[in-house]
Amino acid sequence: MAVKIVLLLLFFSVFILVGIKCHKSSRSVDGFVLGGRTVGPWLTAFAYGTSYFSAVIFVGYAGQFGWNFGLASTWIGLGNAFIGSLLPWVILGRRTRIMTQHLGSKTMPEFFGQRYSSRGLKIASSAITFLFLIPYTASLFNGLSRLFRMAFNVDYSVCVIVMAVLTAVYVIVGGYMATAINDFIQGIIMLVGIVAVIAAVLSKHGGFMASVVQLSQVESGELFGGFTSFFGPEPFYLLIVVLLTSLGTWGLPQMVGKFYAIKSEESIKIGTVISTFFAIVVAGGCYFLGGFGRLFTTQDVVKAEGFDSIVPTMLSGLPDVIIAVVLVLVLSASMSTLSSLVLTSSSTLTLDFIGGMKKKKSSERSNMFVLRLFVAVFIVISAAIAIFQAKSKTTFIAQLMGISWGALSGSFLAPFLYGLYWKKTTRASVVASFVFGTCMMVFQLCVSLGWVNVASSPFLSFVFKNSLYSGVFCMLLSMVIVPVVSLFSQSTRPTGTDGMFTCYDRSVTVRAKNILTESKEK
């Protein structure tokens, strides 16, 4: 217990100190939200990775999908690394940084408002962002607090409140730069911690090979040894999970926002490599660990306590030092994601929703006060929902995250991607994507809560089987909706689009040492 307490106190002290040290860089709106657009590749890459992977992954998804797919769940982590980390950096990174700087956008809703010349789209997207980030944040509290309850036997509500207060302090004081530096520290902890935890857990069953042999003997329906097979017992469901958790990052405001703040194009190249490596180790490790969940618990226990209990059960009984490492690991993952979410939501609500409703532009001082106020408000609301959800047991972590990711990426992915690459994208197509994405996931929420019954329709039963299926359907169909609607609504194409795209063709002067020069023959 002493080891656990000392590590946690050290952990919290470092983050609060970083927040205080970064206070000078957060005195302006641009500094508070984007760190002045001067963040280097290492900080940006780790900020991207730690915002991506949290207690939702480690406790919720690793437990549930490790149970469903066995070792094949490792494909989810690899999908996160290459589809969710590598490709966004390559496809979105450079164009996002150039276009948002050209337009002066600080947030994704502000980008929509300026790119499509629509104040209404800016306000609507900010409302969608704020509303659907709340259940995601609540799921972070849920996963982390289960581990604290296992290690300290502390009430769930106390865990939620302590975590919320500590995160609020360093985000309010230090802004984006504090979160980026803390994300880097947290990322190092996650890389070391996941390796140590995997080794400790597998040693309980004689190591890797012995654990695989035992897992191959677990009954998996008609497929013998299904939990050690290449694609697991449910390949199609596995594909759905890979797509939601990987492709979904392309449309999440808190993820794409990392590209707004990066310093240079060279930083994007370096960050791409770092971010991909980080995802392979952390996400791949989490899902690989979860694949052995059936060796540590039974079907009856899972039915009684839910999928979210699997990983804490796997970790119970480990040495105190390893438990302390796990707590710091998951705390690092969760607080980094939480800080990113609250910063995104507060900046969106302040600059885009409230700022968009006002006719008169607010002062810098006023915006800073409201930004910090809404950081606190967002955390309070999320913590309250997390406590209520735990008491009522309405849904699992994975379901909460699926609804958030499905709504946000289903609404934003296609308009953002086409907005960076295709001049003919129209306002009408963006409206169609917003309406489709939000309506789909609100309907899914009603189905998940049992308010709507779709059992009589085979098609609806398939699409709304859970938030993972409907989320993937939402994202993929939005990629079709936006170009189709755009082709039939060119009258709503914003004026000045050609001028916006000139930022990609702008000539710049660089030093000769930074380029490969051609030698001239005499």
Side-chain angles (χ1 to χ4, degrees), residues 349-368:
L349 198 63
T350 303
L351 303 176
D352 304 320
F353 188 80
I354 296 176
M357 301 284 278
K358 289 182 178 180
K359 293 183 178 179
K360 185 179 178 181
K361 189 176 181 180
S362 301
S363 65
E364 186 87 355
R365 185 175 180 180
S366 174
N367 281 335
M368 288 302 303

Side-chain angles (χ1 to χ4, degrees), residues 438-495:
T438 53
C439 290
M440 275 283 294
M441 299 317 294
V442 168
F443 187 78
Q444 174 64 68
L445 182 61
C446 294
V447 173
S448 298
L449 295 175
W451 297 346
V452 177
N453 188 354
V454 295
S456 59
S457 170
F459 176 73
L460 292 180
S461 297
F462 174 77
V463 173
F464 295 100
K465 184 176 182 179
N466 57 44
S467 61
L468 307 173
Y469 279 81
S470 55
V472 170
F473 181 81
C474 204
M475 286 186 284
L476 295 180
L477 199 57
S478 70
M479 294 294 291
V480 178
I481 289 174
V482 169
V484 170
V485 174
S486 292
L487 291 175
F488 289 96
S489 59
Q490 282 299 299
S491 60
T492 65
R493 178 186 172 188
T495 57

